[in-house]
Amino acid sequence: MTRTDVLVVGAGPTGLTLACDLARRGAAVRIVDRAHDFPTGSRGKGLTPRSLEVFDDFGVIDPILASGVTHMPHRKYQGAEVVAEVDPVAGQVPTPDIPYPVGLMIPQWRVERILRERLAGFGVAVEAGAELRAFEQHADGVTATVGEARIQARYLVGCDGGRSTVRKALGLSLRGHTPDVQLMAVGDVEVDGLGRDAWHQWFTGEGAIMLCPLPGTDAFQVQASPELDQDGSPLEPTLEGFQRTFDRIAGVPGVRLHDLGWRSTYRVNVRMVDRLRVGRVFLAGDAAHVHPIAGGLGMNTGIQDAYNLGWKLGLVLDGHATPGLLDTYEEERLPIASRLLDITSERLDAVLDAIKERGGGVDAVATPELSQLTLRYPWSRLSRQTTSRPTGPRAGDRAPDAPLRDATGTPVRLFDLFRGPHFTLLGLGAHCAPVLGEVETGARIVKTYLVGPGGLLDDGGHVADAYGTDALILVRPDGYIGLVAGPEEKESVGAYLGAVRH
């Protein structure tokens, strides 16, 4: 029997995010997946601005950005006639507090490849063709049977998708409903006769077909109304079927589909579990919640689940936090999952209404909530506000970015200070200088910075714009504000961290 700290089941974006976060913290982690080969299909095809911030923290933002595009016009047709073209995020540019204001179009398989490479840098490889068969919990861990091997882990996390073996073994079910919405046929296909400069969309009373170029490839992702048999049941997607659907709905001569690769069908479900933790076993991503694809939040919400859980497991494993910290994963993420189901259902209805109008399309899904930048945890026990301030973010909010300069004049950003597995304590303003060195933080898990005279320079006043002044701001390892306190309340920082540890 082999031993590890955490066994991650499922090597999609959720599992890989969690494994990367744990590995950079020095935890022993194994990640297994039942599939023998890594997926090559596009599946999810977009990252939200908040997910880009996660990958900035992981140090992989450059290859991620190099593999995608940030602006993809939506071109809508009736037959060969272009009836509308819109860029849903036109005019949105980086600002001092939001460096990634728009999402990134990128195929999921490429995200997974980049995360696997990052994980390999920590000496951890995905164990492919390794199927979880069973597990049992006991007082100090979980014993899992993977293939023919037995693995002893302190914790197990199911990131194994909508048909999760882990969820079923826990006796949990995805509760909710399946709306009366048709299946969607999807696939990756090459196309002759269409440019790669836009997401091409046709919506008619006969159905819908959309062709979206996948950055860095020769392929388009096709999404189409499924063909039906004589009994009205959907047929399995095929190249010939996609071509027939295109000819019937779009009818544009000279457009030929070829080289179909990955293909699948998708039925809308609105379902989630009522628990994210049973003892030493957790659920994350699609294993815990499934929802309409409107807004592309599936992959991204799994990434956020993993990012929330990773730092908490890391602190517990190395003895810097009480196991009770792990209860806050469910406390914080379960309400987010519930809200996610509501948002995506609302956006799906908006899209279905929009496509009935000439020029309408999937851009009707766009709302600020879909960026995930407004996600916050004000209800959490980890969000503490000990002072009343007229400006600036509150405990539980995302911590904004801002430019600074160090004593030599070298530019640095708040996100540079936050990057890594630690808490970050910011002392904002001259009134914090006398007390910052006296704050009891526990140096191994907290890095402390003064922004003001004698410390980092607020370049252009953007820190003050984003946070206000004269405050102690404790930023969690996942980039959310844990504590907002006045300069005279230095003991509140020690009390906060003490509660985490004990």
Side-chain angles (χ1 to χ4, degrees):
M1 182 182 297
T2 58
R3 297 180 181 274
T4 192
D5 287 332
V6 182
L7 176 61
V8 178
V9 181
T14 302
L16 288 166
T17 297
L18 179 61
C20 283
D21 206 2
L22 290 167
R24 70 174 178 158
R25 297 171 187 282
V29 59
R30 291 180 66 174
I31 178 169
V32 301
D33 198 288
R34 74 181 71 179
H36 289 272
D37 301 305
F38 297 130
T40 57
S42 57
R43 296 172 293 157
K45 61 179 184 296
L47 293 172
T48 64
R50 182 57 186 158
S51 290
L52 295 178
E53 293 183 351
V54 173
F55 294 143
D56 184 317
D57 181 32
F58 281 9
V60 297
I61 191 62
D62 289 342
I64 288 285
L65 292 177
S67 300
V69 296
T70 54
H71 291 267
M72 178 72 73
H74 294 222
R75 188 171 297 157
K76 300 161 222 183
Y77 302 78
Q78 286 188 349
E81 178 191 3
V82 177
V83 297
E85 181 164 317
V86 60
D87 179 352
V89 293
Q92 296 189 31
V93 296
T95 58
D97 59 329
I98 302 176
Y100 311 110
V102 299
L104 187 76
M105 192 76 74
I106 180 173
Q108 181 174 321
W109 65 264
R110 194 174 293 278
V111 175
E112 293 175 0
R113 176 183 292 178
I114 292 169
L115 290 176
R116 286 197 301 270
E117 291 171 352
R118 181 64 175 137
L119 188 59
F122 296 114
V124 180
V126 173
E127 300 174 42
E131 183 174 4
L132 176 72
R133 296 188 176 182
F135 63 85
E136 56 187 17
Q137 298 196 55
H138 37 86
D140 57 353
V142 181
T143 301
T145 301
V146 178
E148 301 301 322
R150 300 268 284 175
I151 300 173
Q152 175 79 39
R154 293 172 65 181
Y155 296 96
L156 183 150
V157 186
C159 307
D160 50 343
R163 299 178 181 178
S164 171
T165 298
V166 176
R167 184 189 67 241
K168 293 173 183 176
L170 291 173
L172 300 177
S173 60
L174 290 171
R175 300 181 179 180
H177 66 286
T178 301
D180 186 20
V181 178
Q182 276 193 335
L183 280 166
M184 181 70 75
V186 295
D188 293 345
V189 65
E190 295 186 27
V191 181
D192 294 333
L194 285 178
R196 298 186 60 83
D197 60 335
W199 186 352
H200 307 276
Q201 305 172 12
W202 289 262
F203 302 98
T204 72
E206 303 264 331
I209 188 164
M210 298 180 286
L211 288 158
C212 181
L214 296 168
T217 76
D218 295 325
F220 288 68
Q221 186 186 81
V222 56
Q223 297 171 286
S225 301
E227 289 194 305
L228 306 177
D229 64 19
Q230 59 185 6
D231 298 322
S233 299
L235 296 170
E236 191 73 18
T238 64
L239 176 61
E240 296 76 16
F242 281 128
Q243 185 70 59
R244 284 191 296 268
T245 300
F246 181 87
D247 293 341
R248 175 171 55 86
I249 294 174
V252 180
V255 175
R256 306 307 301 170
L257 282 56
H258 59 94
D259 290 290
L260 176 66
W262 167 80
R263 66 271 182 89
S264 186
T265 54
Y266 173 82
R267 182 182 294 279
V268 173
N269 277 289
V270 184
R271 299 178 180 276
M272 62 179 285
V273 294
D274 56 9
R275 301 178 66 184
L276 295 179
R277 179 187 185 186
V278 178
R280 290 177 173 264
V281 180
F282 300 83
L283 295 175
D286 287 352
H289 39 74
V290 294
H291 52 87
I293 60 173
L297 292 184
M299 170 169 58
N300 293 281
T301 302
I303 289 168
Q304 303 306 321
D305 284 348
Y307 195 49
N308 184 287
L309 180 59
W311 70 272
K312 297 171 182 178
L313 276 172
L315 286 181
V316 170
L317 288 167
D318 67 13
H320 283 102
T322 173
L325 178 64
L326 299 176
D327 293 334
T328 66
Y329 170 62
E330 181 175 285
E331 177 183 329
E332 293 183 343
R333 295 303 298 174
L334 204 59
I336 295 295
S338 179
R339 177 59 183 146
L340 169 72
L341 267 61
D342 292 339
I343 292 171
T344 53
S345 296
E346 292 165 3
R347 292 297 88 205
L348 176 61
D349 290 342
V351 169
L352 294 176
D353 287 340
I355 63 178
K356 297 174 185 176
E357 305 295 329
R358 180 181 173 89
V362 295
D363 51 288
V365 76
T367 68
E369 285 182 300
L370 297 184
S371 72
Q372 297 187 312
L373 295 175
T374 58
L375 187 156
R376 50 198 301 268
Y377 304 113
W379 61 84
S380 171
R381 75 185 76 172
L382 297 178
S383 300
R384 297 189 183 183
Q385 184 101 11
T386 65
T387 184
S388 177
R389 308 173 72 228
T391 60
R394 298 184 60 80
D397 290 355
R398 164 191 170 272
D401 195 10
L404 305 141
R405 289 187 182 273
D406 66 16
T408 68
T410 303
V412 64
R413 302 189 67 87
L414 282 179
F415 275 14
D416 296 328
L417 308 184
F418 299 162
R419 189 177 299 112
H422 54 270
F423 284 85
T424 305
L425 178 63
L426 301 176
L428 306 179
H431 290 105
C432 292
V435 301
L436 204 57
E438 302 173 9
V439 171
E440 175 59 42
T441 61
R444 282 195 60 192
I445 64 169
V446 184
K447 293 186 178 181
T448 301
Y449 300 94
L450 174 66
V451 180
L456 295 165
L457 173 67
D458 183 359
D459 193 359
H462 294 296
V463 176
D465 290 342
Y467 289 87
T469 58
D470 294 327
L472 297 171
I473 307 287
L474 185 66
V475 180
R476 302 173 3 170
D478 60 351
Y480 289 91
I481 296 172
L483 172 70
V484 178
E488 71 285 357
E489 299 177 299
K490 63 182 181 181
E491 70 284 347
S492 64
V493 179
Y496 184 99
L497 294 170
V500 169
R501 287 192 289 261
H502 305 292

